Amino acid sequence: MTQTWSEVPPKLAVTSGGTTITSDSLSVILLRPENAVSTATLIANDADGVNFIANLDLFKTLEIFMDYVDATTKQFSGTVERVNPYLSLEGQLVNAEARGKGRPLLLTHCNKTYGTESANPTLDTTQEIIEDIIDNYVEKSFAGSAIYTLPMSIAGTPAGSIVFFQSAYKNNFDLINQLCDIATAIQAGSAGPHFYVD
C-alpha cells in the first residue's frame, strides 16, 4: 500500500476550559476506538507553569478541532483527567490526558437484573437493556437524580431475547461490552453490534 499525504498540512485548534491554547501545543494524540471511550493526550509548552496553573487543570473541558481546510471541525471534546508537568530537552512541558464524552460509562455502575427470567422480564433484548442502563444507571445515579448526558448510538443490534443478565454492580462500560458479545453470539455468523458515543 502506498501512503499518500495531503499537499495542505492539517490545521489544529485546542481549547481548555474555553481558553485557546493552540499556540502552545506541541503534539496531540487522539484515539477514537469503537466500543470504547475516546482519549486525547496533549503535550504543550509550559514556561513558568502557565498552562499547568491556569489552563490545563483537572476536570476542565478539553476540545480539539482539526481539519485540512480550517480548524473548525470538532474531533474531540472531553474532560481532563490527568495533568503532569515535567522537564525535557525542549524545556518545561505539561502533559494532559482527557477522556471523551463516553467517560460516564466508566464512572457509573448498575445493580439490576435483565432478561425473561429476571425481576425485569420485559427488558430482554440487547437494545432494551442497553437503553435502560444508559437512561437509569449512566445518566442517573442508580435510577435516581440525573448527573450525566450520554449521546450514545448502537448499531447492528439483533432482536434475539436474553434469558438472564446480572449486572452484579459492574461498571456500565463492561456491561455494555458484555451485552455486545452476547448479542454477537445470538445472531451467530454475522457481525455483532457495536457502540460509539456521538
Side-chain angles (χ1 to χ4, degrees), residues 158-198:
S161 182
I162 292 174
V163 176
F164 187 81
F165 184 75
Q166 169 65 272
S167 72
Y169 290 95
K170 294 178 183 175
N171 77 44
N172 291 313
F173 175 78
D174 290 339
L175 290 178
I176 289 174
N177 273 308
Q178 285 177 6
L179 283 164
C180 287
D181 289 343
I182 291 169
T184 300
I186 289 172
Q187 72 179 40
S190 305
H194 56 276
F195 73 86
Y196 57 94
V197 180
D198 296 338

PDB file of all heavy atoms in Angstrom, residues 158-198:
ATOM      1  N   PRO A 158     -29.241  -7.212  17.324  1.00  0.00           N
ATOM      2  CA  PRO A 158     -30.183  -8.243  16.911  1.00  0.00           C
ATOM      3  C   PRO A 158     -31.441  -8.242  17.777  1.00  0.00           C
ATOM      4  O   PRO A 158     -31.466  -7.660  18.853  1.00  0.00           O
ATOM      5  CB  PRO A 158     -29.397  -9.537  17.119  1.00  0.00           C
ATOM      6  CG  PRO A 158     -28.485  -9.220  18.248  1.00  0.00           C
ATOM      7  CD  PRO A 158     -28.118  -7.766  18.077  1.00  0.00           C
ATOM      8  N   ALA A 159     -32.471  -8.929  17.309  1.00  0.00           N
ATOM      9  CA  ALA A 159     -33.752  -8.940  18.007  1.00  0.00           C
ATOM     10  C   ALA A 159     -33.885 -10.098  18.987  1.00  0.00           C
ATOM     11  O   ALA A 159     -34.893 -10.245  19.640  1.00  0.00           O
ATOM     12  CB  ALA A 159     -34.885  -9.009  16.985  1.00  0.00           C
ATOM     13  N   GLY A 160     -32.881 -10.963  19.109  1.00  0.00           N
ATOM     14  CA  GLY A 160     -32.968 -12.138  19.975  1.00  0.00           C
ATOM     15  C   GLY A 160     -33.182 -11.785  21.436  1.00  0.00           C
ATOM     16  O   GLY A 160     -32.812 -10.713  21.894  1.00  0.00           O
ATOM     17  N   SER A 161     -33.786 -12.708  22.172  1.00  0.00           N
ATOM     18  CA  SER A 161     -34.124 -12.491  23.571  1.00  0.00           C
ATOM     19  C   SER A 161     -33.037 -13.042  24.490  1.00  0.00           C
ATOM     20  O   SER A 161     -32.445 -14.087  24.231  1.00  0.00           O
ATOM     21  CB  SER A 161     -35.462 -13.175  23.865  1.00  0.00           C
ATOM     22  OG  SER A 161     -35.835 -12.948  25.202  1.00  0.00           O
ATOM     23  N   ILE A 162     -32.787 -12.335  25.597  1.00  0.00           N
ATOM     24  CA  ILE A 162     -31.820 -12.753  26.605  1.00  0.00           C
ATOM     25  C   ILE A 162     -32.598 -13.336  27.784  1.00  0.00           C
ATOM     26  O   ILE A 162     -33.562 -12.735  28.262  1.00  0.00           O
ATOM     27  CB  ILE A 162     -30.936 -11.564  27.042  1.00  0.00           C
ATOM     28  CG1 ILE A 162     -30.023 -11.151  25.884  1.00  0.00           C
ATOM     29  CG2 ILE A 162     -30.113 -11.910  28.283  1.00  0.00           C
ATOM     30  CD1 ILE A 162     -29.207  -9.912  26.138  1.00  0.00           C
ATOM     31  N   VAL A 163     -32.173 -14.494  28.266  1.00  0.00           N
ATOM     32  CA  VAL A 163     -32.881 -15.171  29.355  1.00  0.00           C
ATOM     33  C   VAL A 163     -32.569 -14.515  30.700  1.00  0.00           C
ATOM     34  O   VAL A 163     -33.470 -14.183  31.462  1.00  0.00           O
ATOM     35  CB  VAL A 163     -32.528 -16.674  29.398  1.00  0.00           C
ATOM     36  CG1 VAL A 163     -33.192 -17.356  30.578  1.00  0.00           C
ATOM     37  CG2 VAL A 163     -32.944 -17.341  28.096  1.00  0.00           C
ATOM     38  N   PHE A 164     -31.281 -14.313  31.003  1.00  0.00           N
ATOM     39  CA  PHE A 164     -30.920 -13.706  32.287  1.00  0.00           C
ATOM     40  C   PHE A 164     -29.581 -12.994  32.160  1.00  0.00           C
ATOM     41  O   PHE A 164     -28.620 -13.554  31.630  1.00  0.00           O
ATOM     42  CB  PHE A 164     -30.830 -14.774  33.388  1.00  0.00           C
ATOM     43  CG  PHE A 164     -30.625 -14.187  34.764  1.00  0.00           C
ATOM     44  CD1 PHE A 164     -31.699 -13.684  35.488  1.00  0.00           C
ATOM     45  CD2 PHE A 164     -29.362 -14.134  35.321  1.00  0.00           C
ATOM     46  CE1 PHE A 164     -31.512 -13.142  36.750  1.00  0.00           C
ATOM     47  CE2 PHE A 164     -29.163 -13.589  36.579  1.00  0.00           C
ATOM     48  CZ  PHE A 164     -30.248 -13.098  37.303  1.00  0.00           C
ATOM     49  N   PHE A 165     -29.545 -11.772  32.673  1.00  0.00           N
ATOM     50  CA  PHE A 165     -28.306 -10.985  32.646  1.00  0.00           C
ATOM     51  C   PHE A 165     -28.187 -10.255  33.980  1.00  0.00           C
ATOM     52  O   PHE A 165     -29.022  -9.441  34.327  1.00  0.00           O
ATOM     53  CB  PHE A 165     -28.315  -9.991  31.477  1.00  0.00           C
ATOM     54  CG  PHE A 165     -27.030  -9.226  31.329  1.00  0.00           C
ATOM     55  CD1 PHE A 165     -25.894  -9.831  30.813  1.00  0.00           C
ATOM     56  CD2 PHE A 165     -26.951  -7.897  31.713  1.00  0.00           C
ATOM     57  CE1 PHE A 165     -24.701  -9.130  30.679  1.00  0.00           C
ATOM     58  CE2 PHE A 165     -25.763  -7.188  31.577  1.00  0.00           C
ATOM     59  CZ  PHE A 165     -24.640  -7.813  31.061  1.00  0.00           C
ATOM     60  N   GLN A 166     -27.128 -10.556  34.720  1.00  0.00           N
ATOM     61  CA  GLN A 166     -26.909  -9.987  36.044  1.00  0.00           C
ATOM     62  C   GLN A 166     -25.781  -8.971  35.982  1.00  0.00           C
ATOM     63  O   GLN A 166     -24.683  -9.278  35.541  1.00  0.00           O
ATOM     64  CB  GLN A 166     -26.541 -11.105  37.025  1.00  0.00           C
ATOM     65  CG  GLN A 166     -26.032 -10.652  38.378  1.00  0.00           C
ATOM     66  CD  GLN A 166     -27.067  -9.920  39.193  1.00  0.00           C
ATOM     67  OE1 GLN A 166     -27.206  -8.701  39.083  1.00  0.00           O
ATOM     68  NE2 GLN A 166     -27.819 -10.635  39.995  1.00  0.00           N
ATOM     69  N   SER A 167     -26.073  -7.744  36.431  1.00  0.00           N
ATOM     70  CA  SER A 167     -25.043  -6.705  36.364  1.00  0.00           C
ATOM     71  C   SER A 167     -24.023  -6.838  37.494  1.00  0.00           C
ATOM     72  O   SER A 167     -22.855  -6.526  37.316  1.00  0.00           O
ATOM     73  CB  SER A 167     -25.678  -5.320  36.409  1.00  0.00           C
ATOM     74  OG  SER A 167     -26.171  -5.052  37.720  1.00  0.00           O
ATOM     75  N   ALA A 168     -24.469  -7.290  38.665  1.00  0.00           N
ATOM     76  CA  ALA A 168     -23.571  -7.519  39.820  1.00  0.00           C
ATOM     77  C   ALA A 168     -22.687  -6.314  40.146  1.00  0.00           C
ATOM     78  O   ALA A 168     -21.526  -6.459  40.486  1.00  0.00           O
ATOM     79  CB  ALA A 168     -22.714  -8.756  39.585  1.00  0.00           C
ATOM     80  N   TYR A 169     -23.231  -5.124  39.994  1.00  0.00           N
ATOM     81  CA  TYR A 169     -22.541  -3.868  40.319  1.00  0.00           C
ATOM     82  C   TYR A 169     -21.257  -3.652  39.520  1.00  0.00           C
ATOM     83  O   TYR A 169     -20.330  -3.005  39.978  1.00  0.00           O
ATOM     84  CB  TYR A 169     -22.252  -3.770  41.827  1.00  0.00           C
ATOM     85  CG  TYR A 169     -23.514  -3.579  42.636  1.00  0.00           C
ATOM     86  CD1 TYR A 169     -24.169  -4.662  43.194  1.00  0.00           C
ATOM     87  CD2 TYR A 169     -24.064  -2.316  42.818  1.00  0.00           C
ATOM     88  CE1 TYR A 169     -25.343  -4.502  43.926  1.00  0.00           C
ATOM     89  CE2 TYR A 169     -25.229  -2.138  43.533  1.00  0.00           C
ATOM     90  CZ  TYR A 169     -25.863  -3.236  44.090  1.00  0.00           C
ATOM     91  OH  TYR A 169     -27.014  -3.066  44.793  1.00  0.00           O
ATOM     92  N   LYS A 170     -21.214  -4.185  38.315  1.00  0.00           N
ATOM     93  CA  LYS A 170     -20.081  -3.913  37.431  1.00  0.00           C
ATOM     94  C   LYS A 170     -20.242  -2.518  36.842  1.00  0.00           C
ATOM     95  O   LYS A 170     -21.341  -1.964  36.820  1.00  0.00           O
ATOM     96  CB  LYS A 170     -20.030  -4.942  36.304  1.00  0.00           C
ATOM     97  CG  LYS A 170     -19.730  -6.352  36.775  1.00  0.00           C
ATOM     98  CD  LYS A 170     -19.735  -7.304  35.604  1.00  0.00           C
ATOM     99  CE  LYS A 170     -19.501  -8.730  36.076  1.00  0.00           C
ATOM    100  NZ  LYS A 170     -19.609  -9.698  34.972  1.00  0.00           N
ATOM    101  N   ASN A 171     -19.132  -1.967  36.337  1.00  0.00           N
ATOM    102  CA  ASN A 171     -19.299  -0.652  35.710  1.00  0.00           C
ATOM    103  C   ASN A 171     -20.002  -0.822  34.368  1.00  0.00           C
ATOM    104  O   ASN A 171     -19.953  -1.878  33.736  1.00  0.00           O
ATOM    105  CB  ASN A 171     -17.984   0.138  35.631  1.00  0.00           C
ATOM    106  CG  ASN A 171     -17.052  -0.312  34.543  1.00  0.00           C
ATOM    107  OD1 ASN A 171     -17.449  -0.559  33.403  1.00  0.00           O
ATOM    108  ND2 ASN A 171     -15.789  -0.411  34.883  1.00  0.00           N
ATOM    109  N   ASN A 172     -20.672   0.225  33.964  1.00  0.00           N
ATOM    110  CA  ASN A 172     -21.552   0.155  32.793  1.00  0.00           C
ATOM    111  C   ASN A 172     -20.797  -0.032  31.484  1.00  0.00           C
ATOM    112  O   ASN A 172     -21.345  -0.594  30.539  1.00  0.00           O
ATOM    113  CB  ASN A 172     -22.443   1.394  32.745  1.00  0.00           C
ATOM    114  CG  ASN A 172     -23.453   1.367  33.883  1.00  0.00           C
ATOM    115  OD1 ASN A 172     -24.095   0.364  34.127  1.00  0.00           O
ATOM    116  ND2 ASN A 172     -23.569   2.472  34.595  1.00  0.00           N
ATOM    117  N   PHE A 173     -19.557   0.391  31.431  1.00  0.00           N
ATOM    118  CA  PHE A 173     -18.745   0.156  30.241  1.00  0.00           C
ATOM    119  C   PHE A 173     -18.575  -1.347  30.006  1.00  0.00           C
ATOM    120  O   PHE A 173     -18.777  -1.853  28.906  1.00  0.00           O
ATOM    121  CB  PHE A 173     -17.387   0.849  30.387  1.00  0.00           C
ATOM    122  CG  PHE A 173     -16.430   0.557  29.268  1.00  0.00           C
ATOM    123  CD1 PHE A 173     -16.557   1.194  28.050  1.00  0.00           C
ATOM    124  CD2 PHE A 173     -15.408  -0.364  29.431  1.00  0.00           C
ATOM    125  CE1 PHE A 173     -15.682   0.919  27.005  1.00  0.00           C
ATOM    126  CE2 PHE A 173     -14.532  -0.642  28.405  1.00  0.00           C
ATOM    127  CZ  PHE A 173     -14.670   0.006  27.188  1.00  0.00           C
ATOM    128  N   ASP A 174     -18.208  -2.073  31.059  1.00  0.00           N
ATOM    129  CA  ASP A 174     -18.037  -3.527  30.942  1.00  0.00           C
ATOM    130  C   ASP A 174     -19.356  -4.220  30.604  1.00  0.00           C
ATOM    131  O   ASP A 174     -19.394  -5.152  29.787  1.00  0.00           O
ATOM    132  CB  ASP A 174     -17.473  -4.108  32.242  1.00  0.00           C
ATOM    133  CG  ASP A 174     -16.023  -3.703  32.482  1.00  0.00           C
ATOM    134  OD1 ASP A 174     -15.339  -3.329  31.507  1.00  0.00           O
ATOM    135  OD2 ASP A 174     -15.581  -3.752  33.640  1.00  0.00           O
ATOM    136  N   LEU A 175     -20.447  -3.765  31.219  1.00  0.00           N
ATOM    137  CA  LEU A 175     -21.750  -4.380  30.968  1.00  0.00           C
ATOM    138  C   LEU A 175     -22.166  -4.242  29.508  1.00  0.00           C
ATOM    139  O   LEU A 175     -22.644  -5.208  28.895  1.00  0.00           O
ATOM    140  CB  LEU A 175     -22.822  -3.733  31.857  1.00  0.00           C
ATOM    141  CG  LEU A 175     -22.742  -4.046  33.345  1.00  0.00           C
ATOM    142  CD1 LEU A 175     -23.840  -3.300  34.100  1.00  0.00           C
ATOM    143  CD2 LEU A 175     -22.833  -5.534  33.596  1.00  0.00           C
ATOM    144  N   ILE A 176     -21.991  -3.063  28.945  1.00  0.00           N
ATOM    145  CA  ILE A 176     -22.423  -2.850  27.559  1.00  0.00           C
ATOM    146  C   ILE A 176     -21.559  -3.657  26.595  1.00  0.00           C
ATOM    147  O   ILE A 176     -22.061  -4.229  25.625  1.00  0.00           O
ATOM    148  CB  ILE A 176     -22.443  -1.346  27.229  1.00  0.00           C
ATOM    149  CG1 ILE A 176     -23.607  -0.704  27.991  1.00  0.00           C
ATOM    150  CG2 ILE A 176     -22.577  -1.104  25.731  1.00  0.00           C
ATOM    151  CD1 ILE A 176     -23.705   0.777  27.914  1.00  0.00           C
ATOM    152  N   ASN A 177     -20.278  -3.779  26.881  1.00  0.00           N
ATOM    153  CA  ASN A 177     -19.427  -4.628  26.043  1.00  0.00           C
ATOM    154  C   ASN A 177     -19.821  -6.100  26.167  1.00  0.00           C
ATOM    155  O   ASN A 177     -19.804  -6.839  25.180  1.00  0.00           O
ATOM    156  CB  ASN A 177     -17.953  -4.425  26.384  1.00  0.00           C
ATOM    157  CG  ASN A 177     -17.337  -3.281  25.603  1.00  0.00           C
ATOM    158  OD1 ASN A 177     -17.435  -3.230  24.387  1.00  0.00           O
ATOM    159  ND2 ASN A 177     -16.734  -2.333  26.315  1.00  0.00           N
ATOM    160  N   GLN A 178     -20.199  -6.544  27.370  1.00  0.00           N
ATOM    161  CA  GLN A 178     -20.672  -7.921  27.536  1.00  0.00           C
ATOM    162  C   GLN A 178     -21.959  -8.152  26.755  1.00  0.00           C
ATOM    163  O   GLN A 178     -22.136  -9.196  26.127  1.00  0.00           O
ATOM    164  CB  GLN A 178     -20.909  -8.221  29.017  1.00  0.00           C
ATOM    165  CG  GLN A 178     -19.640  -8.424  29.809  1.00  0.00           C
ATOM    166  CD  GLN A 178     -19.909  -8.639  31.289  1.00  0.00           C
ATOM    167  OE1 GLN A 178     -21.048  -8.740  31.721  1.00  0.00           O
ATOM    168  NE2 GLN A 178     -18.840  -8.698  32.063  1.00  0.00           N
ATOM    169  N   LEU A 179     -22.851  -7.160  26.784  1.00  0.00           N
ATOM    170  CA  LEU A 179     -24.103  -7.285  26.023  1.00  0.00           C
ATOM    171  C   LEU A 179     -23.832  -7.359  24.525  1.00  0.00           C
ATOM    172  O   LEU A 179     -24.505  -8.096  23.804  1.00  0.00           O
ATOM    173  CB  LEU A 179     -25.033  -6.110  26.347  1.00  0.00           C
ATOM    174  CG  LEU A 179     -25.741  -6.217  27.697  1.00  0.00           C
ATOM    175  CD1 LEU A 179     -26.313  -4.866  28.115  1.00  0.00           C
ATOM    176  CD2 LEU A 179     -26.837  -7.275  27.653  1.00  0.00           C
ATOM    177  N   CYS A 180     -22.855  -6.621  24.050  1.00  0.00           N
ATOM    178  CA  CYS A 180     -22.485  -6.699  22.630  1.00  0.00           C
ATOM    179  C   CYS A 180     -21.967  -8.097  22.289  1.00  0.00           C
ATOM    180  O   CYS A 180     -22.280  -8.639  21.223  1.00  0.00           O
ATOM    181  CB  CYS A 180     -21.440  -5.634  22.283  1.00  0.00           C
ATOM    182  SG  CYS A 180     -22.103  -3.960  22.221  1.00  0.00           S
ATOM    183  N   ASP A 181     -21.190  -8.697  23.211  1.00  0.00           N
ATOM    184  CA  ASP A 181     -20.695 -10.062  22.993  1.00  0.00           C
ATOM    185  C   ASP A 181     -21.846 -11.067  22.960  1.00  0.00           C
ATOM    186  O   ASP A 181     -21.879 -11.968  22.116  1.00  0.00           O
ATOM    187  CB  ASP A 181     -19.700 -10.458  24.086  1.00  0.00           C
ATOM    188  CG  ASP A 181     -18.377  -9.718  23.973  1.00  0.00           C
ATOM    189  OD1 ASP A 181     -18.103  -9.155  22.896  1.00  0.00           O
ATOM    190  OD2 ASP A 181     -17.624  -9.700  24.969  1.00  0.00           O
ATOM    191  N   ILE A 182     -22.791 -10.923  23.884  1.00  0.00           N
ATOM    192  CA  ILE A 182     -23.951 -11.821  23.931  1.00  0.00           C
ATOM    193  C   ILE A 182     -24.771 -11.686  22.656  1.00  0.00           C
ATOM    194  O   ILE A 182     -25.192 -12.675  22.055  1.00  0.00           O
ATOM    195  CB  ILE A 182     -24.818 -11.534  25.176  1.00  0.00           C
ATOM    196  CG1 ILE A 182     -24.063 -11.955  26.442  1.00  0.00           C
ATOM    197  CG2 ILE A 182     -26.165 -12.253  25.087  1.00  0.00           C
ATOM    198  CD1 ILE A 182     -24.708 -11.485  27.731  1.00  0.00           C
ATOM    199  N   ALA A 183     -24.969 -10.447  22.226  1.00  0.00           N
ATOM    200  CA  ALA A 183     -25.748 -10.205  21.007  1.00  0.00           C
ATOM    201  C   ALA A 183     -25.062 -10.801  19.787  1.00  0.00           C
ATOM    202  O   ALA A 183     -25.712 -11.310  18.876  1.00  0.00           O
ATOM    203  CB  ALA A 183     -25.968  -8.708  20.818  1.00  0.00           C
ATOM    204  N   THR A 184     -23.730 -10.762  19.764  1.00  0.00           N
ATOM    205  CA  THR A 184     -22.975 -11.376  18.665  1.00  0.00           C
ATOM    206  C   THR A 184     -23.214 -12.884  18.635  1.00  0.00           C
ATOM    207  O   THR A 184     -23.413 -13.472  17.575  1.00  0.00           O
ATOM    208  CB  THR A 184     -21.470 -11.074  18.813  1.00  0.00           C
ATOM    209  OG1 THR A 184     -21.282  -9.664  18.794  1.00  0.00           O
ATOM    210  CG2 THR A 184     -20.668 -11.708  17.688  1.00  0.00           C
ATOM    211  N   ALA A 185     -23.234 -13.495  19.823  1.00  0.00           N
ATOM    212  CA  ALA A 185     -23.483 -14.935  19.901  1.00  0.00           C
ATOM    213  C   ALA A 185     -24.905 -15.277  19.446  1.00  0.00           C
ATOM    214  O   ALA A 185     -25.134 -16.267  18.774  1.00  0.00           O
ATOM    215  CB  ALA A 185     -23.258 -15.428  21.327  1.00  0.00           C
ATOM    216  N   ILE A 186     -25.873 -14.420  19.815  1.00  0.00           N
ATOM    217  CA  ILE A 186     -27.272 -14.667  19.449  1.00  0.00           C
ATOM    218  C   ILE A 186     -27.454 -14.675  17.938  1.00  0.00           C
ATOM    219  O   ILE A 186     -28.169 -15.504  17.390  1.00  0.00           O
ATOM    220  CB  ILE A 186     -28.209 -13.627  20.102  1.00  0.00           C
ATOM    221  CG1 ILE A 186     -28.299 -13.864  21.610  1.00  0.00           C
ATOM    222  CG2 ILE A 186     -29.603 -13.667  19.490  1.00  0.00           C
ATOM    223  CD1 ILE A 186     -29.043 -12.782  22.366  1.00  0.00           C
ATOM    224  N   GLN A 187     -26.784 -13.755  17.263  1.00  0.00           N
ATOM    225  CA  GLN A 187     -27.008 -13.671  15.816  1.00  0.00           C
ATOM    226  C   GLN A 187     -25.973 -14.461  15.026  1.00  0.00           C
ATOM    227  O   GLN A 187     -25.816 -14.252  13.831  1.00  0.00           O
ATOM    228  CB  GLN A 187     -27.090 -12.211  15.363  1.00  0.00           C
ATOM    229  CG  GLN A 187     -25.791 -11.429  15.358  1.00  0.00           C
ATOM    230  CD  GLN A 187     -26.017 -10.014  14.868  1.00  0.00           C
ATOM    231  OE1 GLN A 187     -27.012  -9.386  15.195  1.00  0.00           O
ATOM    232  NE2 GLN A 187     -25.102  -9.518  14.064  1.00  0.00           N
ATOM    233  N   ALA A 188     -25.327 -15.412  15.658  1.00  0.00           N
ATOM    234  CA  ALA A 188     -24.376 -16.362  15.074  1.00  0.00           C
ATOM    235  C   ALA A 188     -24.090 -16.221  13.596  1.00  0.00           C
ATOM    236  O   ALA A 188     -24.971 -16.326  12.773  1.00  0.00           O
ATOM    237  CB  ALA A 188     -24.869 -17.775  15.345  1.00  0.00           C
ATOM    238  N   GLY A 189     -22.839 -15.990  13.269  1.00  0.00           N
ATOM    239  CA  GLY A 189     -22.424 -15.943  11.872  1.00  0.00           C
ATOM    240  C   GLY A 189     -22.391 -14.555  11.276  1.00  0.00           C
ATOM    241  O   GLY A 189     -21.832 -14.345  10.215  1.00  0.00           O
ATOM    242  N   SER A 190     -22.987 -13.579  11.944  1.00  0.00           N
ATOM    243  CA  SER A 190     -22.998 -12.198  11.440  1.00  0.00           C
ATOM    244  C   SER A 190     -22.154 -11.325  12.361  1.00  0.00           C
ATOM    245  O   SER A 190     -21.906 -11.672  13.508  1.00  0.00           O
ATOM    246  CB  SER A 190     -24.423 -11.642  11.403  1.00  0.00           C
ATOM    247  OG  SER A 190     -25.262 -12.481  10.654  1.00  0.00           O
ATOM    248  N   ALA A 191     -21.770 -10.196  11.830  1.00  0.00           N
ATOM    249  CA  ALA A 191     -21.037  -9.234  12.650  1.00  0.00           C
ATOM    250  C   ALA A 191     -21.951  -8.751  13.770  1.00  0.00           C
ATOM    251  O   ALA A 191     -23.129  -8.483  13.557  1.00  0.00           O
ATOM    252  CB  ALA A 191     -20.581  -8.063  11.795  1.00  0.00           C
ATOM    253  N   GLY A 192     -21.429  -8.677  14.977  1.00  0.00           N
ATOM    254  CA  GLY A 192     -22.239  -8.265  16.120  1.00  0.00           C
ATOM    255  C   GLY A 192     -22.397  -6.769  16.210  1.00  0.00           C
ATOM    256  O   GLY A 192     -21.859  -6.007  15.414  1.00  0.00           O
ATOM    257  N   PRO A 193     -23.165  -6.324  17.204  1.00  0.00           N
ATOM    258  CA  PRO A 193     -23.393  -4.891  17.390  1.00  0.00           C
ATOM    259  C   PRO A 193     -22.148  -4.185  17.899  1.00  0.00           C
ATOM    260  O   PRO A 193     -21.245  -4.805  18.465  1.00  0.00           O
ATOM    261  CB  PRO A 193     -24.514  -4.851  18.428  1.00  0.00           C
ATOM    262  CG  PRO A 193     -24.345  -6.088  19.208  1.00  0.00           C
ATOM    263  CD  PRO A 193     -23.845  -7.117  18.234  1.00  0.00           C
ATOM    264  N   HIS A 194     -22.093  -2.906  17.707  1.00  0.00           N
ATOM    265  CA  HIS A 194     -21.011  -2.084  18.242  1.00  0.00           C
ATOM    266  C   HIS A 194     -21.615  -0.748  18.668  1.00  0.00           C
ATOM    267  O   HIS A 194     -22.692  -0.388  18.237  1.00  0.00           O
ATOM    268  CB  HIS A 194     -19.895  -1.884  17.220  1.00  0.00           C
ATOM    269  CG  HIS A 194     -20.351  -1.294  15.930  1.00  0.00           C
ATOM    270  ND1 HIS A 194     -20.886  -2.056  14.919  1.00  0.00           N
ATOM    271  CD2 HIS A 194     -20.377  -0.012  15.490  1.00  0.00           C
ATOM    272  CE1 HIS A 194     -21.211  -1.262  13.898  1.00  0.00           C
ATOM    273  NE2 HIS A 194     -20.902  -0.027  14.222  1.00  0.00           N
ATOM    274  N   PHE A 195     -20.905  -0.050  19.549  1.00  0.00           N
ATOM    275  CA  PHE A 195     -21.434   1.237  20.012  1.00  0.00           C
ATOM    276  C   PHE A 195     -20.376   2.322  19.863  1.00  0.00           C
ATOM    277  O   PHE A 195     -19.187   2.058  19.780  1.00  0.00           O
ATOM    278  CB  PHE A 195     -21.923   1.142  21.462  1.00  0.00           C
ATOM    279  CG  PHE A 195     -20.838   1.059  22.502  1.00  0.00           C
ATOM    280  CD1 PHE A 195     -20.260   2.210  23.016  1.00  0.00           C
ATOM    281  CD2 PHE A 195     -20.401  -0.165  22.980  1.00  0.00           C
ATOM    282  CE1 PHE A 195     -19.268   2.144  23.978  1.00  0.00           C
ATOM    283  CE2 PHE A 195     -19.404  -0.252  23.934  1.00  0.00           C
ATOM    284  CZ  PHE A 195     -18.844   0.909  24.447  1.00  0.00           C
ATOM    285  N   TYR A 196     -20.855   3.530  19.828  1.00  0.00           N
ATOM    286  CA  TYR A 196     -19.970   4.691  19.821  1.00  0.00           C
ATOM    287  C   TYR A 196     -20.700   5.843  20.481  1.00  0.00           C
ATOM    288  O   TYR A 196     -21.922   5.903  20.493  1.00  0.00           O
ATOM    289  CB  TYR A 196     -19.524   5.059  18.401  1.00  0.00           C
ATOM    290  CG  TYR A 196     -20.661   5.335  17.443  1.00  0.00           C
ATOM    291  CD1 TYR A 196     -21.133   6.628  17.223  1.00  0.00           C
ATOM    292  CD2 TYR A 196     -21.261   4.291  16.743  1.00  0.00           C
ATOM    293  CE1 TYR A 196     -22.189   6.866  16.351  1.00  0.00           C
ATOM    294  CE2 TYR A 196     -22.309   4.524  15.857  1.00  0.00           C
ATOM    295  CZ  TYR A 196     -22.761   5.813  15.668  1.00  0.00           C
ATOM    296  OH  TYR A 196     -23.802   6.043  14.813  1.00  0.00           O
ATOM    297  N   VAL A 197     -19.935   6.739  21.075  1.00  0.00           N
ATOM    298  CA  VAL A 197     -20.505   7.923  21.707  1.00  0.00           C
ATOM    299  C   VAL A 197     -20.384   9.069  20.731  1.00  0.00           C
ATOM    300  O   VAL A 197     -19.302   9.372  20.258  1.00  0.00           O
ATOM    301  CB  VAL A 197     -19.786   8.234  23.033  1.00  0.00           C
ATOM    302  CG1 VAL A 197     -20.380   9.466  23.694  1.00  0.00           C
ATOM    303  CG2 VAL A 197     -19.868   7.043  23.978  1.00  0.00           C
ATOM    304  N   ASP A 198     -21.507   9.691  20.401  1.00  0.00           N
ATOM    305  CA  ASP A 198     -21.540  10.731  19.360  1.00  0.00           C
ATOM    306  C   ASP A 198     -20.709  11.935  19.775  1.00  0.00           C
ATOM    307  O   ASP A 198     -20.740  12.331  20.935  1.00  0.00           O
ATOM    308  CB  ASP A 198     -22.978  11.180  19.117  1.00  0.00           C
ATOM    309  CG  ASP A 198     -23.829  10.044  18.555  1.00  0.00           C
ATOM    310  OD1 ASP A 198     -23.250   9.111  17.980  1.00  0.00           O
ATOM    311  OD2 ASP A 198     -25.058  10.117  18.694  1.00  0.00           O
TER     312      ASP A 198
END
